[in-house]
Amino acid sequence: SFVSTHLYRNVTKHAHVYLLCLHHPNFECVVDPDDPYLEEEIQWSLFSNETFKLCSKLSHPLGSTNRYGIYGSSNGLVCISDEILNFDSPIHIWNPSVKKFTTPPMSTNINVKFTYVALQFGFHPRLNDYKIVRMMRTNKGALAVEVYTLRTDSWKMIEAIPPWLKCTWQHHKGMFFKGVAYNIIVKGPIFSIMSFDSGSEEFEEFIAPDSICSPSELCIDVYKEQICLLFSFYSCEEEGMVPNDLWVLQEKQWKQLRPFIYPAGSYGTIGISIDNELLKVRRDFLRGVGNLCLCNYESKQLLETGIELAIITYGEIEFLFAITYIESLVLLNNN
């Protein structure tokens, strides 16, 4: 009861909130033209949500020097695993505040290899428990979904896959909100949002608005406690400005709101901040970094935070700006 009251207070008041960002150790991308296979160093760190100053650098709880990815955070807990996921990638639920972690057991449900694996982690308020949703797909389109429950420390394979998911489809960005995993999927010319409730184990599909025509410019997040879609593709009537279209999911229907509007430039969209501002990254490809910016919905002004994120390239076309919010995290003095 005390823990629940404490967490609820912190979350509702946005107390002890940090930005968890991926960056180069000295905020400079080091590239050796004589060694194209040199792997650049990157670092996860906590930054103040108010001053944007560096608060603490994080290292892997097992001391590993390999790169790792973050697949969700909730109530001060962070889910980490391999940067490039496989079906047998080890997963850790980590509390950086007290430097403790737990490792879910390896699943015994999987006996085939999958070409694509997605992980999502979060808190299910109705069940008062933490969940991990792992979705796996073969190159022939077969889908498998597993759910890990922290309280029972066990995995469960979801047997009932709806017919509309038993087809060839592509998975894109996703997020976890109030116990439900949401994912953008593309089935031929159709863009839709797949939701999976980790408690009731039910799937739902929400067809995206007709004006959405490119997955690369589409982002899913939470705006004012509602699932939202962000899409930046069309031009703006205001000279020198660019719109980011915004829809929210209300009563299982998409409702379009007034777009975010911001000054034109080489910006990428990350999502929505915890204060309901638009998270943008101004790309600096020469230096290999992205400058984190906040766009205010009302003033249309961009605030440069001074945080320089690492740009990670997979192949030649995909760029990843890694950032998430972590709430209720109290940094303890090492002494």
Side-chain angles (χ1 to χ4, degrees), residues 179-249:
V180 181
Y182 295 88
N183 291 275
I184 298 172
I185 62 173
V186 180
K187 298 184 293 181
I190 300 175
F191 293 81
S192 65
I193 309 303
M194 170 185 66
S195 74
F196 172 74
D197 190 315
S198 60
S200 65
E201 300 176 359
E202 295 178 347
F203 292 87
E204 282 192 87
E205 182 180 25
F206 306 100
I207 305 298
D210 293 338
S211 56
I212 292 176
C213 58
S214 170
S216 62
E217 304 297 331
L218 182 61
C219 185
I220 184 169
D221 214 310
V222 176
Y223 178 71
K224 294 185 176 180
E225 292 295 298
Q226 300 172 100
I227 291 294
C228 74
L229 293 178
L230 297 162
F231 186 60
S232 179
F233 187 79
Y234 301 102
S235 59
C236 183
E237 295 180 356
E238 294 185 46
E239 186 176 352
M241 305 296 282
V242 178
N244 229 131
D245 291 333
L246 173 66
W247 291 266
V248 294
L249 189 61

Side-chain angles (χ1 to χ4, degrees), residues 132-146:
I132 297 174
V133 176
R134 177 163 55 192
M135 297 188 180
M136 298 157 288
R137 179 170 52 84
T138 67
N139 55 8
K140 295 183 179 180
L143 176 70
V145 178
E146 281 190 304

Side-chain angles (χ1 to χ4, degrees), residues 108-294:
T108 58
N109 300 321
I110 304 299
N111 53 15
V112 298
K113 289 188 176 181
F114 290 84
T115 57
Y116 179 85
V117 180
L119 274 184
Q120 291 166 289
F121 165 79
F123 182 69
H124 201 304
R126 181 171 56 83
L127 302 178
N128 192 31
D129 205 351
Y130 294 88
K131 300 279 189 175
I132 297 174
V133 176
R134 177 163 55 192
M135 297 188 180
M136 298 157 288
R137 179 170 52 84
T138 67
N139 55 8
K140 295 183 179 180
L143 176 70
V145 178
E146 281 190 304
V147 177
Y148 170 79
T149 302
L150 180 61
R151 180 172 292 149
T152 61
D153 191 30
S154 62
W155 290 93
K156 179 181 179 182
M157 178 67 76
I158 305 303
E159 303 293 343
I161 303 296
W164 51 267
L165 272 178
K166 295 179 180 179
C167 62
T168 301
W169 53 273
Q170 292 180 316
H171 171 273
H172 292 274
K173 302 162 188 171
M175 59 101 48
F176 196 97
F177 180 59
K178 292 186 176 179
V180 181
Y182 295 88
N183 291 275
I184 298 172
I185 62 173
V186 180
K187 298 184 293 181
I190 300 175
F191 293 81
S192 65
I193 309 303
M194 170 185 66
S195 74
F196 172 74
D197 190 315
S198 60
S200 65
E201 300 176 359
E202 295 178 347
F203 292 87
E204 282 192 87
E205 182 180 25
F206 306 100
I207 305 298
D210 293 338
S211 56
I212 292 176
C213 58
S214 170
S216 62
E217 304 297 331
L218 182 61
C219 185
I220 184 169
D221 214 310
V222 176
Y223 178 71
K224 294 185 176 180
E225 292 295 298
Q226 300 172 100
I227 291 294
C228 74
L229 293 178
L230 297 162
F231 186 60
S232 179
F233 187 79
Y234 301 102
S235 59
C236 183
E237 295 180 356
E238 294 185 46
E239 186 176 352
M241 305 296 282
V242 178
N244 229 131
D245 291 333
L246 173 66
W247 291 266
V248 294
L249 189 61
Q250 293 183 350
E251 298 179 352
K252 301 186 178 182
Q253 299 290 328
W254 295 110
K255 178 183 178 181
Q256 187 166 15
L257 304 182
R258 177 170 57 84
F260 281 94
I261 297 177
Y262 55 92
S266 182
Y267 293 100
T269 301
I270 296 180
I272 300 291
S273 78
I274 200 168
D275 300 311
N276 296 307
E277 294 185 309
L278 186 65
L279 284 167
K280 304 290 291 184
V281 167
R282 180 168 55 80
R283 302 176 179 94
D284 187 340
F285 291 111
L286 292 178
R287 297 179 56 234
V289 299
N291 297 284
L292 180 63
C293 305
L294 294 172

